[in-house]
Amino acid sequence: MLRLVSLFLFVGLALARHEVYDGYGLYKVSVKSADQIELVNHLSSSLDLDVWSHALPGRDGQVLVPKETKVLFENELKAAGVEFTIETDNIKELLDLEDQLHAEALQKSNGSRLESLPFDQIYTYHQVDTFLELLAAAHPETVTLVNAGKSFEGRDIKYIKISSTNFEDTRKPIVFMESLLHAREWITLPATLYAIHKLVIDVTEQDLVRDIDWIILPIANPDGYVHTHGEFRLWRKNRSTNYGPLCTGVDLNRNFDVFWGQASSNIACSDTFHGAAPFSEPETAIIKTIYDQYSSRIELFLDIHSFGSMILYGYGDGSLPPSALMLHLLGVQMAQAIDAVKMSWNPNYVVGNVALVLYQASGSAGDYALAVGVPYSYTYELPGHRFGIGGLGFLVDPAFIEQAGFETWEGIKTGARFVRDNFKKKHL
Ligand SMILES: [Zn+2]
């Protein structure tokens, strides 16, 4: 009964939600040349548009455009000969649909879920927090829960360590992965939770626990994430209010101490605002402490983002680390492992240097890992899974939550075993 009441409350709330996005159109943009890429990028930044994915020749981009800017945006594209189609004229309707799909999934789900966490819904901060607590209590032999500190708004940031030897065997490499550094990228959470599931609850491949130590941080940006469960589903940054009354939040993936400020925004309202200084934000400072403690043993770092079906590596200025060839090789292997089991309508993963594939970006978590000596560091951009009429970026259809976890795990396993084998050779 309580569930029914809360379902009605949820649906009732859903109808009144997402007003801030009313009338926003989502445009699919196709570019054919470097000049057209440049034009779309320039237009997007001068009109302060929310670029969901950057257009490349052969791969469409998606741009969210407010109601009052649509005509101007369309005219500029037409004048430059850039092809576009309108995915939806009002993103609010699809955000409402997302709420409805999730409410239905919740209704179908059968109880006692926090111990086993079935992959049929996107869990809230509190649900994940409870799950991690229960998991650590139920599996003290392999799981250690670490409360690493507080977010800007005072939420606990917790990660788990998974080890068959209590992190004491220094001959083992560490794989470190995190999700939700960007708040709206909901589909990234099932990827880390699925990994936890396969390493602790449903262990079918013993070598992964026997030979490797794991650090998994499911919610790297809790304040932003909680914010996306309220009125602002498409929020990306953290929730720092240190930068004046008008603009909230720092892009945490531009706040790390590596080329900081070179290719990011110094405007607080921007979605790529880099903050006052490297590690000015508690969320990134906490991740730094993980490297301070473990960097000599972290062999693989995976920063899970969405969307675009890409595996990217540094550096963000286009320069390549000495390990570039091996980085690329392992990137391709992980991509192939995912492509082998992906949904047929999603494109194959693209692998490459982030600046060469996409755009320059400084101060990223992935680059910081490379800079402190982690040999294999990648940003995964998971696919935008099918949603109603097509792949709709950040929106999550509950029907594909398990698939997202399952297919990404194939890539993660490939990476983990590769670094395990290489770490052994290094230490013979
Ligand atoms: Zn992201």
Side-chain angles (χ1 to χ4, degrees), residues 182 185 236 253 305-306 381:
H182 285 149
E185 297 166 7
R236 166 182 163 103
N253 208 26
H305 288 251
S306 78
E381 296 283 353

Side-chain angles (χ1 to χ4, degrees), residues 139 141-142 162 194-210 409:
H139 301 274
E141 71 290 354
T142 51
I162 302 169
Y194 195 92
I196 292 171
H197 182 77
K198 293 303 292 178
L199 291 167
V200 180
I201 297 168
D202 177 27
V203 186
T204 51
E205 292 160 282
Q206 300 288 343
D207 64 309
L208 295 169
V209 188
R210 185 188 63 221
W409 178 235

